[in-house]
Amino acid sequence: MLATLPHDLRGLRDRAMLLIGFAGALRRSEITGLDHGKDDTMDGTGWVEIFEAGVLVTLRGKTGWREVEIARGSSDATCPVRALERWRAFSKTNFGSLFTAVSRDGSRALERRLNDRHVARLVQRTALAAGLRPELPEAERRALFAGHSLRAGLASSAEIDERHVQKQLGHASAEMTRRYQRSRDRFRVNLTKAAGL
């Protein structure tokens, strides 16, 4: 999906949004509600702090404030922290809304915060462009991928202890986390092969 994005200012922003959203298992409103720093805007629902080891995302959620740690990735091309640093450097922004609109000519970041529908459209557009699930008709593919796909994608793909996934998603109960992980567990243990068939 990342490979379908251009390497212009808009592409840098969208790449950072996808990676931060996926690595942080964030809701689409949490992504677009982020500010550069604490108390930057009245409508912000969280902020980011960049450290040597990663990004700390502080969010106001349903049950109060929570912190999400996003460590640096193993590849520069897919590192969420590096993508965020690139967006901030090239957009020349360090105050206010983190993810903003880009001018029509693509030359500068505007002050206007993106709305959460942008994330849903971005996920759909890049998933379709990447050719994910080509066996399905386009309407079904479009319905399959949305802003929530980033959150569910991390929960179902991370091969790590459930309690870590629960913490990242901010779930109060392990049962809620298991709902996200059910598709991950399908066919992981292949009893058919283990029985010699």
Side-chain angles (χ1 to χ4, degrees):
M1 290 171 57
L2 296 175
T4 68
L5 295 170
H7 292 279
D8 59 6
L9 190 59
R10 194 170 280 110
L12 292 175
R13 178 202 61 202
D14 290 348
R15 191 171 280 106
M17 290 176 70
L18 287 174
L19 286 168
I20 290 293
F22 179 78
L26 304 180
R27 294 174 179 89
R28 62 189 197 177
S29 61
E30 292 172 336
I31 297 167
T32 58
L34 289 173
D35 286 343
H36 285 277
K38 184 179 181 182
D39 299 325
D40 276 4
T41 67
M42 296 294 287
D43 62 339
T45 58
W47 67 91
V48 297
E49 296 173 83
I50 299 178
F51 298 97
E52 187 67 31
V55 172
L56 181 64
V57 179
T58 304
L59 298 164
R60 183 176 55 232
K62 296 176 185 176
T63 58
W65 291 96
R66 71 182 172 102
E67 293 181 337
V68 175
E69 299 170 359
I70 301 174
R72 291 191 182 269
S74 56
S75 165
D76 195 45
T78 58
C79 175
V81 181
R82 187 69 187 115
L84 181 59
E85 290 171 333
R86 279 190 200 108
W87 161 245
R88 288 179 69 168
F90 285 96
S91 67
K92 297 181 175 93
T93 59
N94 60 10
F95 183 84
S97 303
L98 183 61
F99 294 117
T100 62
V102 173
S103 63
R104 282 190 189 271
D105 65 1
S107 65
R108 60 188 168 79
L110 305 175
E111 290 184 20
R112 183 172 36 93
R113 181 186 304 278
L114 294 174
N115 66 45
D116 65 337
R117 290 186 311 275
H118 177 83
V119 178
R121 288 189 301 262
L122 172 63
V123 170
Q124 285 180 337
R125 186 177 71 245
T126 56
L128 293 174
L132 299 180
R133 301 295 305 267
E135 74 280 6
L136 297 175
E138 185 173 332
E140 285 183 45
R141 290 170 64 206
R142 193 171 295 281
L144 187 61
F145 299 104
H148 203 69
S149 299
L150 298 175
R151 188 169 169 78
L154 180 77
S156 60
S157 66
E159 295 291 333
I160 193 167
D161 189 277
E162 180 182 271
R163 63 191 162 97
H164 298 295
V165 177
Q166 181 181 346
K167 180 180 182 264
Q168 192 80 343
L169 271 66
H171 289 154
S173 73
E175 180 54 37
M176 180 57 79
T177 303
R178 285 186 203 112
R179 288 183 194 172
Y180 281 79
Q181 294 179 315
R182 285 210 174 101
S183 63
R184 174 188 82 172
D185 295 333
R186 288 186 188 133
F187 308 111
R188 188 171 5 156
V189 176
N190 189 332
L191 293 178
T192 308
K193 285 185 180 177
L197 299 176

